[in-house]
Amino acid sequence: MDWTHYRFVSRWPLPAPVPVVYAVLERPEDYPRWWPQVREVTRLDGTSGVLRVRSLLPYDLTFTAHETRRDPAAGVLETALAGDIEGWARWTVTPAAGGCLARYDQEVDVTKPLLRRFAVPGRPLFRANHRLMMRAGRRGLLGALEAV
């Protein structure tokens, strides 16, 4: 087992239609407004940017996200990630009863030296840290959708 490899899946039932949720998710530069753990997003160009995230544990992850797929008809936003984490992430927004389901898939290898050093003993904490970040993201998105 590669202790520095992670695969995450989060499912967010949301009380809003797909186009509304998709429109919010396709603007990562606005994530810090509603997602507390996304501390900073710096656009590099129309399809890439640098993100800095930090959840409960005392470390930041900084990485470049480059858009690899934008398909509003399918509800898909996908990015390649490089930096403290390397791999990919994908939002898929589909209709569901009462609104939609936003599914977040991420598969990454951790390259940040500190996290690699603590890969085995820290793995349960790193996974819990990610869950907390995703839970807060859903809450923040719900608030952002109320304002739309």
Side-chain angles (χ1 to χ4, degrees):
M1 175 176 193
D2 181 353
W3 294 95
T4 62
H5 183 83
Y6 290 87
R7 182 177 179 110
F8 299 107
V9 177
S10 298
R11 293 174 184 87
W12 297 356
L14 299 165
V18 169
V20 171
V21 172
Y22 190 91
V24 174
L25 293 176
E26 74 178 342
R27 296 188 47 82
E29 62 274 12
D30 292 341
Y31 285 21
R33 293 182 187 159
W34 55 266
W35 198 338
Q37 293 79 11
V38 179
R39 304 298 174 96
E40 185 178 0
V41 176
T42 304
R43 274 282 191 186
L44 299 175
D45 56 37
T47 61
S48 61
V50 177
L51 287 83
R52 184 174 60 85
V53 299
R54 181 180 188 149
S55 191
L56 185 63
L57 294 176
Y59 62 83
D60 290 357
L61 292 175
T62 303
F63 54 91
T64 299
H66 178 76
E67 180 181 295
T68 57
R69 182 176 176 201
R70 177 186 296 250
D71 186 346
V76 175
L77 294 163
E78 187 169 302
T79 58
L81 309 174
D84 289 341
I85 55 175
E86 300 212 353
W88 58 270
R90 178 188 317 117
W91 285 108
T92 307
V93 186
T94 55
C100 70
L101 178 68
R103 177 183 165 132
Y104 182 77
D105 292 276
Q106 183 182 53
E107 190 163 343
V108 294
D109 292 300
V110 175
T111 61
K112 186 175 183 106
L114 176 68
L115 300 183
R116 291 182 68 81
R117 203 169 303 125
F118 292 104
V120 174
R123 189 171 179 87
L125 292 173
F126 301 156
R127 292 187 70 77
N129 199 51
H130 188 271
R131 277 192 305 276
L132 290 171
M133 179 177 171
M134 296 307 289
R135 190 175 306 156
R138 181 177 182 271
R139 279 194 309 269
L141 182 54
L142 285 168
L145 291 171
E146 287 176 4
V148 172

